Amino acid sequence: MSKGSLIYNCFRKGFAVATPFLLYLVFSTSGCGTKQEFSGTELVVAPDDFEVFENSFEVSPKSVNLEREDVSFKAEFNHRVSWRIRLKGLTSGAEKMIKGVDDHINADLVRWDGGHDELYFFKKDENVAVELSFMGSKLVKRDTIKISAAKLFSPPGTRSSIMLSNDDNRNSREGFEGIFNFNSATWTFGPYPDPGEQIFFGQDKMERDNHPPVQGEFALTLHGNDRNDDYFVTGIKRALTNQEIERMPSDPDSVYINIYIYGRGHAATKMNVSCEEADDGGSEHIENKHDAWEHQLSFDHRGWKLFSIRYSDLTRSANPDYGGNGNGRREPQYLRGVGFNLVSSPPGNEVKATFDFPIITFGKPFNPK
């Protein structure tokens, strides 16, 4: 790919004008609440003689492929009480809390499909500690299961989301796992620095930050310096496949671009998210004829944070040579590519952006619960 290519030009021209699942948890119980607390519309304290019948507590299966199966729980008690199941990934630190009120639990009442509370995702090949506890009782039942394959939040055939980090050429179905394919048919990148600039693009385990990726083993990092004071450093773009284009809604209020980004408290680090349309319904975005809709994200926070951008809140590029010369209508059904461009603002800084799990959702923002 030459520096004068169409893809590179879209990265270079787009920076200046950018502005600022639901967990399928099947249970029919009356209690729910916040993590590590018993709360809800009904609270039933265990009496002094409370017990779990011998050998009734079971967790199945012990090794679970969350791509295609759920975990079920079974136990019988001698009283109807408020109970709580806490799952914690021993590698990822991911957690899920399930609660209810009853004198028993079984596969018909409560199951877990791999979703999580808070930020971190459960990981492949990790052990998960399971604890069953009861309000007003010190009794705790424990077990451990192993995840052989993690949950797919946008499995093949889904109609409610598009996982942007999917790439069949990388033998990976989610995240930035495996070896990133620089010759991918869906991912393109702008590796060419201006004179004197240096950039880094690739996978990052974030070991130097002593902080794990939010999902999987790797996040993706763009890192470089803006020595010529033109704002732009580098960027990547994900082209949508024909199958994904067919699934895109036409209502901009119903489409969300979601992404986890890791902030290091550096206010000059920015990422421009750019949605490129083909206004004529064709196969390609033409820079000087079609719209590009943009939003700028800041990395001045610390740690991981999920951002969800509604398509109708995007701002059209003001650059007529890049996305500012289209019909002026937000038309997500004509979306052809989503760009993630690293920017220094103010210009002239060294900047570093780490991000993970970009996903387009329909109807509402991404929610791992």
Side-chain angles (χ1 to χ4, degrees):
M1 182 173 62
S2 68
K3 185 170 182 177
S5 70
L6 178 65
I7 295 301
Y8 181 75
N9 283 338
C10 87
F11 291 137
R12 298 289 289 136
K13 297 173 183 175
F15 76 87
V17 294
T19 61
F21 175 25
L22 300 174
L23 176 63
Y24 169 60
L25 179 61
V26 183
F27 67 105
S28 300
T29 61
S30 58
C32 69
T34 58
K35 187 172 73 170
Q36 307 213 21
E37 294 179 357
F38 286 98
S39 61
T41 57
E42 183 181 15
L43 297 176
V44 181
V45 178
D48 292 340
D49 65 341
F50 176 77
E51 64 177 327
V52 177
F53 293 139
E54 187 175 1
N55 299 324
S56 71
F57 178 54
E58 296 180 7
V59 182
S60 179
K62 298 298 186 192
S63 178
V64 58
N65 181 340
L66 292 169
E67 291 185 0
R68 58 174 181 262
E69 59 183 338
D70 298 343
V71 176
S72 63
F73 308 88
K74 179 182 178 183
E76 295 183 8
F77 330 134
N78 65 338
H79 290 283
R80 184 174 181 272
V81 297
S82 294
W83 55 262
R84 177 181 70 190
I85 297 173
R86 178 175 180 255
L87 300 107
K88 183 176 178 63
L90 300 182
T91 301
S92 65
E95 294 192 28
K96 182 63 196 173
M97 199 75 72
I98 309 170
K99 302 172 186 180
V101 180
D102 217 318
D103 62 359
H104 70 286
I105 56 176
N106 58 35
D108 293 329
L109 294 176
V110 56
R111 304 175 72 88
W112 175 61
D113 77 338
H116 59 275
D117 301 324
E118 309 302 332
L119 279 172
Y120 291 99
F121 291 62
F122 288 92
K123 296 180 183 290
K124 177 183 177 182
D125 294 329
E126 79 168 328
N127 291 318
V128 177
V130 181
E131 292 184 351
L132 172 61
S133 59
F134 310 89
M135 186 176 186
S137 174
K138 294 182 180 179
L139 178 63
V140 179
K141 293 292 184 178
R142 294 181 173 88
D143 206 340
T144 303
I145 59 177
K146 184 170 183 178
I147 298 175
S148 62
K151 175 181 174 63
L152 294 177
F153 284 88
S154 184
T158 185
R159 305 292 298 182
S160 61
S161 60
I162 295 173
M163 188 65 222
L164 287 177
S165 55
N166 285 357
D167 187 343
D168 293 338
N169 294 329
R170 291 184 291 118
N171 298 317
S172 173
R173 280 179 283 185
E174 62 176 286
F176 294 107
E177 311 306 317
I179 304 300
F180 192 89
N181 181 6
F182 290 94
N183 297 312
S184 166
T186 54
W187 284 101
T188 52
F189 67 107
Y192 303 101
D194 289 313
E197 295 185 355
Q198 296 178 335
I199 65 167
F200 167 80
F201 169 86
Q203 296 160 307
D204 192 343
K205 280 192 173 182
M206 303 182 66
E207 294 171 343
R208 294 179 182 176
D209 297 298
N210 194 30
H211 203 78
V214 71
Q215 184 272 336
E217 295 299 321
F218 294 94
L220 200 69
T221 290
L222 304 176
H223 184 191
N225 50 59
D226 176 36
R227 292 184 177 171
N228 70 339
D229 293 336
D230 72 346
Y231 295 88
F232 177 82
V233 178
T234 188
I236 62 173
K237 185 172 72 172
R238 166 65 150 79
L240 269 63
T241 65
N242 290 335
Q243 292 80 5
E244 291 167 342
I245 291 171
E246 291 174 357
R247 289 156 49 196
M248 287 294 299
S250 59
D251 181 6
D253 286 331
S254 68
V255 177
Y256 293 81
I257 312 296
N258 310 268
I259 185 171
Y260 288 86
I261 64 175
Y262 186 80
R264 296 176 172 84
H266 190 206
T269 301
K270 302 289 194 301
M271 174 182 285
N272 287 348
V273 179
S274 178
C275 294
E276 300 178 351
E277 296 179 354
D279 293 351
D280 58 0
S283 61
E284 296 183 1
H285 167 79
I286 301 175
E287 293 182 6
N288 62 355
K289 293 184 178 180
H290 300 157
D291 286 326
W293 300 93
E294 302 175 319
H295 186 81
Q296 188 171 92
L297 298 174
S298 176
F299 286 65
D300 56 356
H301 63 284
R302 293 189 179 275
W304 284 107
K305 185 176 180 180
L306 172 62
F307 288 83
S308 296
I309 309 162
R310 189 169 59 178
Y311 204 95
S312 56
D313 292 333
L314 295 170
T315 302
R316 191 174 73 155
S317 170
N319 185 345
D321 292 327
Y322 174 70
N325 205 24
N327 60 23
R329 297 192 297 267
R330 295 176 181 83
E331 299 172 309
Q333 72 272 27
Y334 296 146
L335 181 65
R336 298 298 180 259
V338 181
F340 304 94
N341 300 320
L342 178 62
V343 171
S344 171
S345 180
N349 289 276
E350 182 175 347
V351 289
K352 183 177 183 180
T354 300
F355 57 104
D356 203 1
F357 205 77
I359 183 171
I360 300 176
T361 55
F362 310 146
K364 59 185 66 178
F366 175 71
N367 183 348
K369 299 180 183 182

